[in-house]
Amino acid sequence: MRSPWTVLLAAPLLLLPFHTVASPARDDRPSTRPSNGHVCVGCVVLVSVIEQLAQVHNSTVQDSMARLCSYLPEKLFLKSTCYLVVRMFGPEIIKLLSADMNADVVCHTLQFCHQDPGQAVCHLYPFPKETWKSTLEKARQIVKKSPALKYSRSGSDICSLPFLAKICEKIKSTLKNSVPFRDVDSDKYSVSPTLRGYHWRGRDCNDSDRMAYPGRRPDNWDVHQDSNCNGIWGVDPKDGIPYEKKFCEGSEPRGTILLGDSAGAHFHIPPEWVTASQMSWKSFLDLPSALTDELNWPQLSGATGFLNSTSGMKEKSIYLRLRQRNRCNHRDYQNLAKNGASSQNLERFIESLSRNPLLDHPAIVIYAMIGNDVCNGKTDPVPRMTTPEQFYSKVMETLKYLNSHLPNGSHVILYGLPDGTFLWDHLHSRYHPLGQLNEDVTYEQFYTFLSCLQVSSCHGWMSSNKTLRTLTSERAEQLSNILKKIAISKKFTSFDLLYVDFDFHEVMKKWQKRGGQPWQLIEPVDGFHPNEVALLLLADGLWDKVQLQWPQVLGKENPFNPQIEQVFGDQGGH
């Protein structure tokens, strides 16, 4: 019989093994099937939330499961899937939690977590007072002969259901190739927001014409229609001059393109998704959108975000700063970041880049593979790190590809790798959101749990081993030095090449001057990614450095911006 647990892959709390989609991957093939380690993490998170909801609301476990399901939206069958899982596994969870078994014991008993022969027990919470072996045996006796134990935990996935097979293949292709799911004219731009739509690249203004898309040079000055989707078209009746010619000619329009990883895509799991005391139906309103954006929020990212900051930051993304500088740049952005991306696998999706060297405007390309070349979840992560030789080879391949696809006059900024030791330094002793209610889970415990399961986003930096953290930072510095040397020594015909350090310590100083603390710059749920505030401060620092040292990269300030706004308003929005 097919396990309903596989259907739960469409629901939020099993997708919270966030590292399934955000962790480094040498074999970066999208899949709807998580590893056993990720299934274990998902189970422990889910059972923890159920237990804590009962505690917060002084209710039964059964009521807390019903409460959790009631919070979920109907979209993507999230609510109905939740009720299905509760019906199948709820009785066993109730029995075990009622017997004071913690989430680790529950998930090992229900066989979502496993202890391999000769391996340590992977656990998030402190061990029970009795021995682990006796506690687990007692728990198994409680659910002995339970029908729930008959269901497979990993034998199939949701896409093996016949009625979902075709749609899954299309979604898999979208994820693999990083192109929009809905794109009628196949120009790599979409009128839909998610599934690589306009959250990721400028919204298409005519999805039935593949020659109309953001970033192209205007066709006949857009006298009759908007061919570049910047919202500026038609003829001024006062003098008969096309608006595009009047307002944009000579203004040096340019696009913003990011080649990055999950940090650049702004991977984010809202803490209220796992914090029982903050949880309500409002917490999950954005869940369907987030799931179909691979748990990323590129519309709020530091490179290509186009929405106002949810944190109240006055700083804006690189794209919005360029648009503010020249309104002719409206909608000309592409976020080609991908969870798990590194210098070694960028070749698998770089063809999703949309830039015609003859028809389109130049672009500013930010190359920001900031983590996955040194980050992996292996017990000994060092052998899996990218070597300087491998790094040099792949970066040069990428630059040669860009040289043949970018219009002349473009710019490529190589972003260095960070010193990620700040993660452990500022988080290890603090409580993780799952541990805040009862003060029983620190980030050190959380990191250790993920590393034990070999699903850590970055065991090298998220480790109590100081020597390992230092080795990881040394390799990151070596790779950054490769980028510096390339920027200094290599020349290309289509673009000039610049290098910028990823200076997170400078960002921390800025934040501390505002009264903040360094730990507030890290995503609280995964304990790894820079959050929205950090991304905007990084973007602000990058902008200031480029404006000071290479102002030609940003182009001119358009003196016609007020007139554009007066005639075209928000230019059709985003």
Side-chain angles (χ1 to χ4, degrees):
M1 184 179 294
R2 188 182 310 282
S3 167
W5 190 259
T6 59
V7 181
L8 188 59
L9 295 180
L13 291 173
L14 192 58
L15 275 168
L16 287 181
F18 23 86
H19 306 279
T20 303
V21 290
S23 61
R26 295 295 182 201
D27 185 16
D28 191 29
R29 294 185 179 90
S31 174
T32 55
R33 183 181 301 164
S35 71
N36 290 336
H38 294 116
V39 170
C40 179
V41 176
C43 177
V44 172
V45 171
L46 181 61
V47 174
S48 298
V49 168
I50 291 170
E51 184 177 20
Q52 292 182 20
L53 278 172
Q55 183 179 347
V56 167
H57 296 281
N58 193 26
S59 68
T60 65
V61 174
Q62 184 172 356
D63 287 343
S64 75
M65 289 190 288
R67 183 186 302 274
L68 175 60
C69 292
S70 73
Y71 289 159
L72 300 182
E74 298 283 359
K75 286 183 179 179
L76 303 182
F77 305 105
L78 293 171
K79 190 187 294 287
S80 57
T81 299
C82 183
Y83 283 124
L84 170 63
V85 172
V86 166
R87 187 162 65 248
M88 300 306 299
F89 294 100
E92 285 66 36
I93 294 175
I94 291 171
K95 291 176 186 176
L96 292 168
L97 291 180
S98 299
D100 292 327
M101 304 295 175
N102 67 21
D104 292 315
V105 177
V106 171
C107 292
H108 275 84
T109 303
L110 297 180
Q111 300 172 15
F112 293 115
C113 296
H114 302 274
Q115 180 185 6
D116 295 328
Q119 297 297 316
V121 177
C122 299
H123 61 100
L124 180 62
Y125 295 91
F127 273 137
K129 293 180 180 179
E130 296 184 38
T131 66
W132 172 260
K133 186 176 180 180
S134 63
T135 302
L136 191 59
E137 182 57 37
K138 187 181 295 184
R140 285 170 176 166
Q141 289 299 318
I142 292 173
V143 297
K144 189 177 181 181
K145 297 181 181 180
S146 167
L149 298 178
K150 298 178 182 178
Y151 294 110
S152 167
R153 301 299 189 267
S154 59
S156 59
D157 66 65
I158 191 171
C159 288
S160 61
L161 299 173
F163 62 92
L164 290 177
K166 287 187 177 181
I167 191 73
C168 275
E169 284 304 312
K170 177 70 172 175
I171 291 174
K172 285 180 180 179
S173 176
T174 293
L175 299 181
K176 179 181 179 181
N177 300 318
S178 297
V179 292
F181 177 77
R182 181 182 178 186
D183 180 14
V184 176
D185 57 13
S186 299
D187 62 1
K188 300 181 181 178
Y189 294 89
S190 178
V191 296
S192 298
T194 62
L195 288 171
R196 293 283 163 169
Y198 64 76
H199 282 173
W200 299 85
R201 52 182 90 202
R203 179 156 57 92
D204 202 340
C205 51
N206 187 343
D207 206 19
S208 60
D209 182 359
R210 68 177 305 163
M211 296 307 294
Y213 55 85
R216 69 157 293 172
R217 299 180 188 275
D219 178 23
N220 192 29
W221 294 112
D222 286 357
V223 170
H224 301 294
Q225 64 178 2
D226 188 5
S227 67
N228 57 18
C229 301
N230 67 2
I232 302 170
W233 65 285
V235 176
D236 188 339
K238 296 177 182 178
D239 52 23
I241 299 175
Y243 285 115
E244 180 83 41
K245 182 177 179 65
K246 175 180 287 190
F247 295 151
C248 299
E249 185 179 26
S251 71
E252 303 177 353
R254 61 203 57 208
T256 307
I257 300 174
L258 174 70
L259 300 177
D261 50 26
S262 52
H266 185 19
F267 185 86
H268 168 63
I269 297 173
E272 55 268 25
W273 288 5
V274 301
T275 309
S277 60
Q278 300 176 15
M279 197 175 292
S280 71
W281 64 270
K282 293 181 180 179
S283 306
F284 297 101
L285 290 176
D286 290 324
L287 177 60
S289 173
L291 292 179
T292 47
D293 271 335
E294 305 152 54
L295 292 179
N296 295 307
W297 307 66
Q299 69 274 28
L300 293 166
S301 66
T304 64
F306 57 84
L307 298 180
N308 290 328
S309 168
T310 60
S311 55
M313 295 284 289
K314 63 178 179 62
E315 285 80 6
K316 298 185 181 299
S317 70
I318 299 297
Y319 158 70
L320 281 180
R321 296 282 289 267
L322 278 172
R323 180 185 181 274
Q324 187 177 34
R325 192 177 182 87
N326 184 355
R327 297 290 290 263
C328 299
N329 293 330
H330 182 65
R331 290 194 193 172
D332 193 0
Y333 61 91
Q334 297 178 57
N335 190 316
L336 306 185
K338 191 178 181 69
N339 297 335
S342 71
S343 68
Q344 303 302 290
N345 58 35
L346 174 57
E347 62 189 4
R348 296 179 186 164
F349 62 93
I350 195 172
E351 291 184 5
S352 66
L353 172 72
S354 174
R355 217 65 181 180
N356 187 306
L358 299 179
L359 296 179
D360 298 349
H361 290 300
I364 301 172
V365 178
I366 303 171
Y367 178 96
M369 299 296 170
I370 66 170
N372 294 328
D373 284 288
V374 298
C375 286
N376 61 76
K378 297 301 180 182
T379 303
D380 182 4
V382 176
R384 292 290 295 271
M385 294 179 184
T386 303
T387 66
E389 294 77 18
Q390 292 169 331
F391 191 67
Y392 175 85
S393 175
K394 289 297 185 180
V395 171
M396 288 303 299
E397 281 184 23
T398 297
L399 294 176
K400 289 173 183 176
Y401 181 90
L402 293 175
N403 195 44
S404 63
H405 287 77
L406 292 176
N408 289 339
S410 294
H411 309 271
V412 175
I413 299 173
L414 301 177
Y415 222 168
L417 283 72
D419 174 3
T421 55
F422 59 80
L423 294 171
W424 179 266
D425 293 344
H426 295 290
L427 285 179
H428 77 277
S429 61
R430 300 192 62 82
Y431 289 113
H432 186 272
L434 287 173
Q436 289 172 2
L437 182 63
N438 298 307
E439 297 185 347
D440 55 356
V441 178
T442 64
Y443 279 97
E444 179 174 5
Q445 292 167 253
F446 178 67
Y447 290 162
T448 301
F449 178 52
L450 298 179
S451 294
C452 179
L453 293 168
Q454 298 193 53
V455 295
S456 172
S457 282
C458 194
H459 179 45
W461 279 324
M462 299 160 72
S463 168
S464 60
N465 186 328
K466 185 176 181 180
T467 301
L468 181 56
R469 299 199 302 271
T470 301
L471 285 171
T472 306
S473 291
E474 288 175 353
R475 179 60 58 86
E477 185 177 11
Q478 290 172 359
L479 301 187
S480 293
N481 287 334
I482 294 293
L483 294 177
K484 288 181 188 177
K485 291 178 181 178
I486 290 174
I488 293 171
S489 62
K490 301 299 179 181
K491 303 297 180 184
F492 296 88
T493 56
S494 297
F495 56 84
D496 57 7
L497 196 55
L498 314 167
Y499 171 83
V500 175
D501 282 320
F502 187 104
D503 195 346
F504 202 78
H505 291 283
E506 184 62 33
V507 169
M508 288 193 288
K509 289 179 184 177
K510 283 185 182 179
W511 185 238
Q512 287 174 312
K513 285 182 180 178
R514 301 185 188 190
Q517 296 296 319
W519 60 267
Q520 295 171 320
L521 298 170
I522 309 301
E523 283 290 333
V525 176
D526 65 47
F528 176 64
H529 292 89
N531 65 13
E532 183 184 316
V533 171
L535 291 173
L536 290 175
L537 290 175
L538 283 165
D540 190 59
L542 175 61
W543 181 275
D544 288 346
K545 182 159 189 172
V546 171
Q547 191 170 38
L548 179 65
Q549 297 188 18
W550 311 291
Q552 73 279 6
V553 171
L554 305 177
K556 302 176 182 177
E557 289 196 46
N558 192 335
F560 294 103
N561 283 335
Q563 290 94 319
I564 293 173
E565 186 172 6
Q566 182 179 6
V567 176
F568 296 102
D570 68 356
Q571 297 168 256
H574 288 95

